[in-house]
Amino acid sequence: MQPIKRWDYAGEGLDEHELPPGPWNLIDQWVADARARQDERGDVPEPEAISVATVGGDGQPHVRTVLMRYLAQDGPGFYTNFGSRKGLDLAANPRIAAALTWPPMYRAIRFTGMAQRLPEQVTTDYFRSRPYGSRIGAWASHQSQPTATRAQLEEAVASYEAKWPDTGSAQGVPLPDFWGGYVVHCDEVEFWAGRSSRLHDRLVYVRTGDGDLADGTSWRIERRQP
Ligand SMILES: Cc1cc2nc3c(=O)[nH]c(=O)nc-3n(C[C@H](O)[C@H](O)[C@H](O)COP(=O)(O)O)c2cc1C
């Protein structure tokens, strides 16, 4: 193994007295901060890249990175193929965990809860906002299934391009019925702020009621050891 390189996490930390009663405003602020940091310094590419963990019917965890293309007071969300590994896992067991990690900012947010499918209209609006190639790609890829060659995938792309040529219209490619979004209905939201000597701040919102992320009466805040 290469010699270990260690960084001290000289982050600003996080004080419970700064926290809003529900996690929403801080999620919104930290995501905005990560986007701004990328715009200004370019060291947080894909600030919305989020690791998503699911559990298979056999108890085996699976983790992968997706893009957080949905964020609202009901939770963070993403779009994918319902027949993918993650889609099959979630159909059998909706428990989910997700983490946004921004190492240059010494910050992370962890979400734990249950996945729910986003309403079809929300998915349709998002699908139509995607570039033509991505809309065709959603049809062409039987995500997570084996394929013998890359050429097979490219043939599938060509056949869908022939079926729905690029007319420049957002409606030109229909939404596949096997593709859509999930939102994480959170039971816990943890804000992690890296500090010196690994003595980080971890402040966790734990659900106590049925409200959304902005409802200050539905959460209590707990500090956890780093
Ligand atoms: C930066 C990044 C962004 C990605 N975004 C998505 C996405 O938004 N949706 C998606 O289904 N897969 C996305 N992927 C691919 C997934 O990591 C993964 O390969 C795919 O979803 C299949 O995962 P599964 O077999 O566990 O279901 C992304 C990968 C990376 C590295």
Side-chain angles (χ1 to χ4, degrees), residues 121-143:
Q121 190 56 51
V122 175
T123 291
T124 300
D125 291 347
Y126 173 71
F127 188 74
R128 289 180 178 167
S129 77
R130 303 180 88 206
Y132 172 75
S134 303
R135 284 178 280 146
I136 290 290
W139 279 99
S141 170
H142 298 282
Q143 194 178 53

Side-chain angles (χ1 to χ4, degrees), residues 5-225:
K5 200 162 179 202
R6 291 194 168 87
W7 281 269
D8 197 38
Y9 293 173
E12 292 162 9
L14 192 61
D15 188 328
E16 32 277 83
H17 304 295
E18 300 165 12
L19 295 185
W24 170 253
N25 285 346
L26 198 57
I27 296 169
D28 196 39
Q29 183 62 53
W30 278 24
V31 171
D33 290 349
R35 290 179 181 146
R37 169 104 180 194
Q38 172 59 16
D39 288 345
E40 286 154 22
R41 298 171 64 167
D43 61 358
V44 187
E46 297 290 23
E48 286 109 10
I50 187 166
S51 306
V52 171
T54 56
V55 182
D58 57 358
Q60 173 67 50
H62 301 113
V63 65
R64 79 289 286 160
T65 304
V66 298
L67 294 177
M68 182 180 69
R69 289 294 195 223
Y70 179 90
L71 181 61
Q73 294 178 2
D74 56 341
F78 58 92
Y79 294 91
T80 195
N81 183 312
F82 293 139
S84 66
R85 163 84 75 182
K86 70 184 91 50
L88 298 182
D89 282 1
L90 291 171
N93 179 356
R95 287 178 195 280
I96 190 165
L100 291 161
T101 310
W102 303 296
M105 306 175 78
Y106 311 118
R107 281 180 175 174
I109 310 178
R110 296 170 65 184
F111 305 93
T112 311
M114 306 287 264
Q116 295 171 348
R117 282 198 190 183
L118 282 168
E120 193 172 314
Q121 190 56 51
V122 175
T123 291
T124 300
D125 291 347
Y126 173 71
F127 188 74
R128 289 180 178 167
S129 77
R130 303 180 88 206
Y132 172 75
S134 303
R135 284 178 280 146
I136 290 290
W139 279 99
S141 170
H142 298 282
Q143 194 178 53
S144 313
Q145 297 299 315
T147 182
T149 61
R150 168 124 199 143
Q152 278 187 357
L153 181 64
E154 287 167 5
E155 279 163 26
V157 168
S159 75
Y160 285 110
E161 284 174 343
K163 189 168 182 181
W164 298 303
D166 187 4
T167 59
S169 161
Q171 273 104 313
V173 183
L175 173 70
D177 61 2
F178 55 81
W179 195 94
Y182 293 96
V183 57
V184 181
H185 179 73
C186 299
D187 295 321
E188 277 195 12
V189 181
E190 172 177 331
F191 293 88
W192 181 95
R195 300 197 49 186
S196 282
S197 302
R198 305 291 188 253
L199 298 175
H200 317 300
D201 290 322
R202 296 179 64 196
L203 290 165
V204 186
Y205 286 78
V206 181
R207 178 176 286 285
T208 56
D210 293 333
D212 65 20
L213 297 169
D215 176 8
T217 66
S218 289
W219 303 90
R220 68 179 168 80
I221 298 170
E222 178 175 295
R223 178 177 279 271
R224 290 194 187 150
Q225 299 188 37

